[in-house]
PDB file of all heavy atoms in Angstrom:
ATOM      1  N   VAL C 206     -81.008   5.076 -11.327  1.00  0.00           N
ATOM      2  CA  VAL C 206     -80.790   6.481 -10.991  1.00  0.00           C
ATOM      3  C   VAL C 206     -81.938   7.327 -11.533  1.00  0.00           C
ATOM      4  O   VAL C 206     -82.709   6.892 -12.405  1.00  0.00           O
ATOM      5  CB  VAL C 206     -79.440   7.000 -11.563  1.00  0.00           C
ATOM      6  CG1 VAL C 206     -78.306   6.065 -11.195  1.00  0.00           C
ATOM      7  CG2 VAL C 206     -79.509   7.187 -13.059  1.00  0.00           C
ATOM      8  N   SER C 207     -82.024   8.549 -11.014  1.00  0.00           N
ATOM      9  CA  SER C 207     -83.075   9.451 -11.509  1.00  0.00           C
ATOM     10  C   SER C 207     -82.546  10.855 -11.774  1.00  0.00           C
ATOM     11  O   SER C 207     -83.339  11.776 -11.996  1.00  0.00           O
ATOM     12  CB  SER C 207     -84.243   9.511 -10.521  1.00  0.00           C
ATOM     13  OG  SER C 207     -83.780   9.856  -9.246  1.00  0.00           O
ATOM     14  N   GLU C 208     -81.229  10.994 -11.735  1.00  0.00           N
ATOM     15  CA  GLU C 208     -80.623  12.296 -12.087  1.00  0.00           C
ATOM     16  C   GLU C 208     -79.175  12.069 -12.569  1.00  0.00           C
ATOM     17  O   GLU C 208     -78.580  11.022 -12.312  1.00  0.00           O
ATOM     18  CB  GLU C 208     -80.687  13.293 -10.913  1.00  0.00           C
ATOM     19  CG  GLU C 208     -80.580  12.713  -9.523  1.00  0.00           C
ATOM     20  CD  GLU C 208     -79.225  12.163  -9.220  1.00  0.00           C
ATOM     21  OE1 GLU C 208     -78.252  12.744  -9.702  1.00  0.00           O
ATOM     22  OE2 GLU C 208     -79.137  11.156  -8.505  1.00  0.00           O
ATOM     23  N   PRO C 209     -78.616  13.068 -13.277  1.00  0.00           N
ATOM     24  CA  PRO C 209     -77.325  12.869 -13.926  1.00  0.00           C
ATOM     25  C   PRO C 209     -76.148  12.644 -12.968  1.00  0.00           C
ATOM     26  O   PRO C 209     -75.226  11.895 -13.303  1.00  0.00           O
ATOM     27  CB  PRO C 209     -77.119  14.170 -14.728  1.00  0.00           C
ATOM     28  CG  PRO C 209     -78.493  14.680 -14.969  1.00  0.00           C
ATOM     29  CD  PRO C 209     -79.279  14.309 -13.749  1.00  0.00           C
ATOM     30  N   PHE C 210     -76.155  13.279 -11.790  1.00  0.00           N
ATOM     31  CA  PHE C 210     -75.004  13.128 -10.895  1.00  0.00           C
ATOM     32  C   PHE C 210     -74.772  11.656 -10.532  1.00  0.00           C
ATOM     33  O   PHE C 210     -73.643  11.157 -10.549  1.00  0.00           O
ATOM     34  CB  PHE C 210     -75.193  13.958  -9.618  1.00  0.00           C
ATOM     35  CG  PHE C 210     -74.097  13.734  -8.614  1.00  0.00           C
ATOM     36  CD1 PHE C 210     -72.861  14.350  -8.753  1.00  0.00           C
ATOM     37  CD2 PHE C 210     -74.286  12.869  -7.553  1.00  0.00           C
ATOM     38  CE1 PHE C 210     -71.838  14.116  -7.845  1.00  0.00           C
ATOM     39  CE2 PHE C 210     -73.269  12.624  -6.634  1.00  0.00           C
ATOM     40  CZ  PHE C 210     -72.033  13.250  -6.776  1.00  0.00           C
ATOM     41  N   SER C 211     -75.851  10.959 -10.200  1.00  0.00           N
ATOM     42  CA  SER C 211     -75.710   9.543  -9.835  1.00  0.00           C
ATOM     43  C   SER C 211     -75.307   8.688 -11.033  1.00  0.00           C
ATOM     44  O   SER C 211     -74.572   7.707 -10.879  1.00  0.00           O
ATOM     45  CB  SER C 211     -77.011   9.022  -9.228  1.00  0.00           C
ATOM     46  OG  SER C 211     -77.317   9.711  -8.041  1.00  0.00           O
ATOM     47  N   ALA C 212     -75.793   9.051 -12.208  1.00  0.00           N
ATOM     48  CA  ALA C 212     -75.389   8.317 -13.413  1.00  0.00           C
ATOM     49  C   ALA C 212     -73.884   8.454 -13.634  1.00  0.00           C
ATOM     50  O   ALA C 212     -73.188   7.473 -13.935  1.00  0.00           O
ATOM     51  CB  ALA C 212     -76.159   8.854 -14.622  1.00  0.00           C
ATOM     52  N   GLN C 213     -73.368   9.665 -13.468  1.00  0.00           N
ATOM     53  CA  GLN C 213     -71.927   9.918 -13.612  1.00  0.00           C
ATOM     54  C   GLN C 213     -71.146   9.140 -12.560  1.00  0.00           C
ATOM     55  O   GLN C 213     -70.163   8.453 -12.861  1.00  0.00           O
ATOM     56  CB  GLN C 213     -71.663  11.416 -13.475  1.00  0.00           C
ATOM     57  CG  GLN C 213     -70.194  11.786 -13.554  1.00  0.00           C
ATOM     58  CD  GLN C 213     -69.962  13.283 -13.354  1.00  0.00           C
ATOM     59  OE1 GLN C 213     -70.871  14.096 -13.578  1.00  0.00           O
ATOM     60  NE2 GLN C 213     -68.770  13.651 -12.938  1.00  0.00           N
ATOM     61  N   ALA C 214     -71.592   9.220 -11.301  1.00  0.00           N
ATOM     62  CA  ALA C 214     -70.885   8.535 -10.214  1.00  0.00           C
ATOM     63  C   ALA C 214     -70.943   7.021 -10.374  1.00  0.00           C
ATOM     64  O   ALA C 214     -69.990   6.321  -9.992  1.00  0.00           O
ATOM     65  CB  ALA C 214     -71.494   8.940  -8.871  1.00  0.00           C
ATOM     66  N   SER C 215     -72.012   6.518 -10.946  1.00  0.00           N
ATOM     67  CA  SER C 215     -72.107   5.064 -11.126  1.00  0.00           C
ATOM     68  C   SER C 215     -71.044   4.551 -12.076  1.00  0.00           C
ATOM     69  O   SER C 215     -70.582   3.410 -11.941  1.00  0.00           O
ATOM     70  CB  SER C 215     -73.507   4.666 -11.620  1.00  0.00           C
ATOM     71  OG  SER C 215     -73.668   4.917 -13.006  1.00  0.00           O
ATOM     72  N   ARG C 216     -70.640   5.383 -13.035  1.00  0.00           N
ATOM     73  CA  ARG C 216     -69.527   5.001 -13.918  1.00  0.00           C
ATOM     74  C   ARG C 216     -68.192   5.231 -13.196  1.00  0.00           C
ATOM     75  O   ARG C 216     -67.333   4.365 -13.200  1.00  0.00           O
ATOM     76  CB  ARG C 216     -69.560   5.843 -15.220  1.00  0.00           C
ATOM     77  CG  ARG C 216     -70.653   5.475 -16.189  1.00  0.00           C
ATOM     78  CD  ARG C 216     -70.385   4.130 -16.921  1.00  0.00           C
ATOM     79  NE  ARG C 216     -69.059   4.120 -17.501  1.00  0.00           N
ATOM     80  CZ  ARG C 216     -68.135   3.186 -17.217  1.00  0.00           C
ATOM     81  NH1 ARG C 216     -68.390   2.203 -16.370  1.00  0.00           N
ATOM     82  NH2 ARG C 216     -66.947   3.238 -17.788  1.00  0.00           N
ATOM     83  N   GLU C 217     -68.022   6.411 -12.601  1.00  0.00           N
ATOM     84  CA  GLU C 217     -66.720   6.778 -12.032  1.00  0.00           C
ATOM     85  C   GLU C 217     -66.340   5.919 -10.835  1.00  0.00           C
ATOM     86  O   GLU C 217     -65.182   5.536 -10.684  1.00  0.00           O
ATOM     87  CB  GLU C 217     -66.749   8.252 -11.616  1.00  0.00           C
ATOM     88  CG  GLU C 217     -66.823   9.202 -12.799  1.00  0.00           C
ATOM     89  CD  GLU C 217     -66.943  10.661 -12.416  1.00  0.00           C
ATOM     90  OE1 GLU C 217     -67.221  10.956 -11.233  1.00  0.00           O
ATOM     91  OE2 GLU C 217     -66.768  11.523 -13.295  1.00  0.00           O
ATOM     92  N   HIS C 218     -67.297   5.602  -9.985  1.00  0.00           N
ATOM     93  CA  HIS C 218     -66.983   4.893  -8.734  1.00  0.00           C
ATOM     94  C   HIS C 218     -67.320   3.412  -8.779  1.00  0.00           C
ATOM     95  O   HIS C 218     -66.627   2.601  -8.169  1.00  0.00           O
ATOM     96  CB  HIS C 218     -67.746   5.527  -7.567  1.00  0.00           C
ATOM     97  CG  HIS C 218     -67.260   6.890  -7.200  1.00  0.00           C
ATOM     98  ND1 HIS C 218     -67.492   7.455  -5.966  1.00  0.00           N
ATOM     99  CD2 HIS C 218     -66.561   7.820  -7.904  1.00  0.00           C
ATOM    100  CE1 HIS C 218     -66.950   8.659  -5.917  1.00  0.00           C
ATOM    101  NE2 HIS C 218     -66.393   8.916  -7.088  1.00  0.00           N
ATOM    102  N   MET C 238     -80.332  13.561 -20.482  1.00  0.00           N
ATOM    103  CA  MET C 238     -79.250  14.123 -19.659  1.00  0.00           C
ATOM    104  C   MET C 238     -78.593  13.025 -18.816  1.00  0.00           C
ATOM    105  O   MET C 238     -77.368  13.012 -18.632  1.00  0.00           O
ATOM    106  CB  MET C 238     -79.791  15.228 -18.755  1.00  0.00           C
ATOM    107  CG  MET C 238     -80.203  16.477 -19.514  1.00  0.00           C
ATOM    108  SD  MET C 238     -81.103  17.646 -18.472  1.00  0.00           S
ATOM    109  CE  MET C 238     -79.794  18.210 -17.410  1.00  0.00           C
ATOM    110  N   ILE C 239     -79.406  12.124 -18.296  1.00  0.00           N
ATOM    111  CA  ILE C 239     -78.883  10.988 -17.520  1.00  0.00           C
ATOM    112  C   ILE C 239     -78.009  10.106 -18.416  1.00  0.00           C
ATOM    113  O   ILE C 239     -76.900   9.699 -18.030  1.00  0.00           O
ATOM    114  CB  ILE C 239     -80.056  10.188 -16.908  1.00  0.00           C
ATOM    115  CG1 ILE C 239     -80.703  10.995 -15.781  1.00  0.00           C
ATOM    116  CG2 ILE C 239     -79.589   8.824 -16.411  1.00  0.00           C
ATOM    117  CD1 ILE C 239     -82.031  10.432 -15.290  1.00  0.00           C
ATOM    118  N   ALA C 242     -74.679  11.782 -19.093  1.00  0.00           N
ATOM    119  CA  ALA C 242     -73.780  11.713 -17.936  1.00  0.00           C
ATOM    120  C   ALA C 242     -73.129  10.336 -17.845  1.00  0.00           C
ATOM    121  O   ALA C 242     -71.932  10.213 -17.531  1.00  0.00           O
ATOM    122  CB  ALA C 242     -74.555  12.026 -16.655  1.00  0.00           C
TER     123      ALA C 242
END
Side-chain angles (χ1 to χ4, degrees):
V206 310
S207 54
E208 33 69 35
F210 175 79
S211 298
Q213 178 182 337
S215 78
R216 287 287 309 123
E217 291 176 347
H218 290 201
M238 291 170 70
I239 289 169

